[in-house]
């Protein structure tokens, strides 16, 4: 599910919610620089969590950039070490 948050007619935040395997995954939560630190990222995150709960999901995960780490504790996330590492794929020539 893709989300766009608006302030009037102006898009100010966006994100994606993936519901699969009993876990809600929150991805690509973003807010343009001019609209940061005004609660838009928290609001769209909260909206996705509400949708996940409405659909019966009790667990949600988000992988945060360093910039976003301050947002997620405010909406109820706690740090967890999953032991996952990032991988990159590139097309072979």
């Amino acid at each position: 599910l893709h989300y766009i948050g608006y302030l009037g007619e102006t898009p100010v935040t966006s994100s994606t919610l993936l519901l699969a395997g009993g876990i809600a995954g929150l991805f690509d939560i973003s807010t343009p620089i001019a609209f940061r630190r005004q609660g838009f990222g928290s609001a769209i995150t909260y909206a996705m969590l509400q949708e996940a709960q409405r659909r019966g999901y009790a667990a949600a995960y988000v992988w945060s950039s360093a910039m976003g780490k301050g947002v997620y504790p405010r909406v109820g996330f706690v740090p967890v070490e999953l032991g996952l590492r990032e991988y990159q794929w590139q097309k072979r020539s």
Side-chain angles (χ1 to χ4, degrees):
L1 304 170
H2 301 291
Y3 289 76
I4 300 173
Y6 289 88
L7 178 62
E9 299 292 319
T10 305
V12 296
T13 187
S14 64
S15 60
T16 297
L17 174 63
L18 176 62
L19 301 171
I23 298 172
L26 286 67
F27 296 93
D28 301 324
I29 301 164
S30 63
T31 303
I33 292 171
F35 298 102
R36 291 182 186 158
R37 304 191 58 79
Q38 298 178 49
F40 299 121
S42 294
I44 203 163
T45 300
Y46 183 77
M48 288 189 294
L49 291 172
Q50 292 298 302
E51 180 63 19
Q53 286 180 347
R54 188 184 72 72
R55 292 178 182 230
Y57 285 75
Y61 290 89
V62 62
W63 282 261
S64 179
S65 66
M67 191 182 333
K69 285 188 177 188
V71 172
Y72 305 114
R74 290 195 299 264
V75 292
F77 282 93
V78 295
V80 62
E81 176 57 52
L82 297 176
L84 298 175
R85 299 294 177 248
E86 293 182 20
Y87 292 86
Q88 178 182 14
W89 179 88
Q90 290 183 341
K91 182 179 176 183
R92 295 182 185 184
S93 15

